[in-house]
Amino acid sequence: MILFIGIQASGKSSFYREFFSQGYEQVSLDILHTRNKERIKMEQCLEQGIGFVVDNTNPTQEDRKKYIAAARQYGYRVVGYYFQSCVGECMERNERREGKAKVSRCAVAATFRKLELPDYREGFDLLYYVAMEKGGWRVENWEEDRDEV
């Protein structure tokens, strides 16, 4: 199971499409719209042994706990990707979105305020830091002493 962590418009879904759409199911509230549908899709993946990406903001340890516990129960490895969350840049990208993909500035700011850095003690096997850079991506191994939100 891969768990994305980051505010809206930090690049999570674009990263999924580029690196994981071939071979991993996408579990996303933006697509499924309800927690019940999300739960059903995740349970199907877990029961069938299918790799999946939880493509939500997942800003707090509490938000992440249920996904990690479920994955562990089924013997999955848990890999986290924390997306650099420069709130100003994310708000600019969000402004370029259309329709339902565009969220309010208040929603972006609220998620940013709640954002907690991931920690291996949550149950991650691997953690990565992701940043958009010059039209591409920079992916680094997580450093426990990282202080950037």
Side-chain angles (χ1 to χ4, degrees), residues 43-106:
E43 285 175 359
Q44 290 171 339
C45 290
L46 291 167
E47 290 169 2
Q48 295 173 23
I50 297 169
F52 63 99
V53 176
V54 179
D55 180 9
N56 296 329
T57 58
N58 301 309
T60 68
Q61 288 186 11
E62 188 63 32
D63 293 324
R64 301 186 286 262
K65 187 187 321 186
K66 66 182 174 190
Y67 302 111
I68 294 169
R72 287 282 178 223
Q73 182 180 352
Y74 282 83
Y76 276 67
R77 290 183 73 226
V78 177
V79 180
Y81 284 81
Y82 174 86
F83 288 76
Q84 180 184 39
S85 297
C86 297
V87 72
E89 292 174 13
C90 291
M91 284 193 182
E92 285 178 29
R93 282 193 294 275
N94 181 58
E95 288 301 315
R96 294 191 296 265
R97 290 175 162 183
E98 307 256 335
K100 291 182 180 182
K102 186 175 183 177
V103 298
S104 74
R105 294 177 66 83
C106 291

